[in-house]
Amino acid sequence: MSIFVILGLLVCVKAQGSSAVTPVFVQKGEDVMLNLTEADDLENSAVIWNFNNKSSNEVSILVRWFLRTEPKVSPDYTGRIEFTVKKYCVKLKNLQETDSGVYTGQVFGGVDVQTRAEYSVTVQDPVSPVKLTVDSVSSSSDSCNLTVTCSTQDSHISSIFTCDTKTCSQEGGERSEVTTSGASLRVYLVHDSITCNHSNQVSWTKDVTKIQDFCSQHDGSECVSAGISVCRLKTVVFSIGLIIMVSVVISVHVYVKLKKQK
Ligand SMILES: *[C@@H]1O[C@H](CO)[C@@H](O)[C@H](O)[C@H]1NC(C)=O
Ligand SMILES: *[C@@H]1O[C@H](CO)[C@@H](O)[C@H](O)[C@H]1NC(C)=O
Ligand SMILES: *[C@@H]1O[C@H](CO)[C@@H](O)[C@H](O)[C@H]1NC(C)=O
């Protein structure tokens, strides 16, 4: 028995050390391509793709080739595996949560076994929709405060936004939280809109609210992006124009009156 244990250990040690695990995220129901590189020198070897289930920790074989034979697909995977033009690369279709785990492509040549590819696959559901609600608005003549809550089915996050006539800022900066399902929920400011973003590695959903719709003092005009100077300049130009116009009107009026008197 001990010789088998030693052999087993040798195989494991060799198999583990020979390649890095690549993390891959797949949306539930979609496919994954399992690639073997250096496929050219595999003609005289046996190739096996196996799967180590994340939750049960059981290892099963997906497909195997022995020395230039047709591939043999395991009964559990019949109809779920497609072969690509590139030999020994397989496409596993319609992934479900139970397919999360490590996929290993092993090559047996002579006496040793080499792990050529190792993918740690995580199957995720797309994230649920989010809703951004404005809880309260308090405003004065020159400032406006907004409290919002961004919520999903299983979590929510609140944040306060403060605006003056020119700019808005988020109290404490971007807020974020990891939901119970492992997705991330974030609230942040993009230009003059509050964005709520619910995302995981395979999908995201958002809800956006324009600050102007709640804060009238904050007009969100070009003054915001261009800074104070443009607004000031406009006011100054407008005022000077008005003064000149009024002066001209008065002068003409006086001139006409004087002429009449003569
Ligand atoms: C396998 O290769 C294909 C084509 O080059 C690529 O689109 C795919 O993402 C690869 N699979 C993985 C799990 O990296
Ligand atoms: C908004 O919040 C700031 C900081 O907390 C405060 O100084 C300001 O008075 C508030 N404005 C209004 C209109 O409530
Ligand atoms: C939401 O977050 C995801 C992940 O960070 C990102 O790819 C996406 O562009 C974001 N969407 C918006 C509208 O900001």
Side-chain angles (χ1 to χ4, degrees):
M1 186 201 116
S2 58
I3 188 103
F4 287 108
V5 173
I6 291 168
L7 265 178
L9 277 177
L10 276 178
V11 168
C12 287
V13 169
K14 266 202 158 156
Q16 274 172 5
S18 48
S19 76
V21 182
T22 311
V24 179
F25 294 89
V26 183
Q27 185 167 320
K28 193 173 166 181
E30 291 192 345
D31 309 336
V32 66
M33 281 285 296
L34 301 170
N35 303 323
L36 266 189
T37 48
E38 309 158 63
D40 303 335
D41 66 336
L42 303 178
E43 286 302 313
N44 296 310
S45 324
V47 174
I48 289 183
W49 272 108
N50 55 38
F51 169 58
N52 189 344
N53 190 309
K54 211 174 198 167
S55 39
S56 68
N57 211 25
E58 276 169 25
V59 178
S60 52
I61 291 174
L62 277 75
V63 56
R64 62 190 133 187
W65 289 263
F66 289 115
L67 301 177
R68 281 168 279 171
T69 57
E70 284 299 300
K72 259 208 169 83
V73 177
S74 298
D76 286 352
Y77 289 94
T78 308
R80 289 192 57 205
I81 284 182
E82 247 173 38
F83 298 93
T84 56
V85 190
K86 221 170 140 196
K87 230 174 167 185
Y88 307 122
C89 295
V90 299
K91 184 199 252 180
L92 182 59
K93 299 190 294 184
N94 188 21
L95 268 74
Q96 303 298 314
E97 266 103 5
T98 49
D99 294 314
S100 290
V102 177
Y103 291 81
T104 313
Q106 291 183 316
V107 176
F108 297 80
V111 286
D112 71 338
V113 52
Q114 281 186 339
T115 296
R116 292 286 181 87
E118 209 164 4
Y119 296 107
S120 172
V121 172
T122 307
V123 181
Q124 290 183 329
D125 273 318
V127 290
S128 59
V130 276
K131 182 138 187 59
L132 186 66
T133 46
V134 175
D135 303 323
S136 69
V137 182
S138 71
S139 57
S140 64
S141 57
D142 57 358
S143 83
C144 176
N145 294 343
L146 224 63
T147 306
V148 302
T149 299
C150 171
S151 35
T152 66
Q153 285 162 347
D154 56 5
S155 60
H156 55 87
I157 190 169
S158 292
S159 189
I160 299 170
F161 293 83
T162 304
C163 298
D164 58 22
T165 48
K166 290 161 212 104
T167 56
C168 289
S169 63
Q170 185 173 12
E171 218 170 72
E174 179 181 316
R175 298 288 315 275
S176 67
E177 191 178 279
V178 175
T179 67
T180 47
S181 54
S184 100
L185 190 60
R186 294 182 295 138
V187 185
Y188 48 87
L189 202 55
V190 179
H191 304 302
D192 282 328
S193 297
I194 300 169
T195 301
C196 174
N197 189 337
H198 188 204
S199 65
N200 62 11
Q201 277 83 0
V202 299
S203 67
W204 56 269
T205 56
K206 65 162 184 178
D207 195 7
V208 175
T209 292
K210 271 208 168 118
I211 288 181
Q212 281 148 268
D213 295 348
F214 296 91
C215 297
S216 49
Q217 339 21 32
H218 182 71
D219 63 2
S221 67
E222 74 260 49
C223 300
V224 176
S225 47
I228 332 160
S229 51
V230 171
C231 293
R232 287 249 168 92
L233 201 66
K234 272 190 174 168
T235 317
V236 170
V237 168
F238 184 72
S239 309
I240 292 176
L242 204 66
I243 291 169
I244 292 176
M245 257 162 63
V246 170
S247 317
V248 168
V249 169
I250 292 175
S251 311
V252 169
H253 192 74
V254 169
Y255 176 76
V256 168
K257 236 185 178 173
L258 280 176
K259 220 176 174 185
K260 265 188 187 163
Q261 275 178 359
K262 272 182 189 170

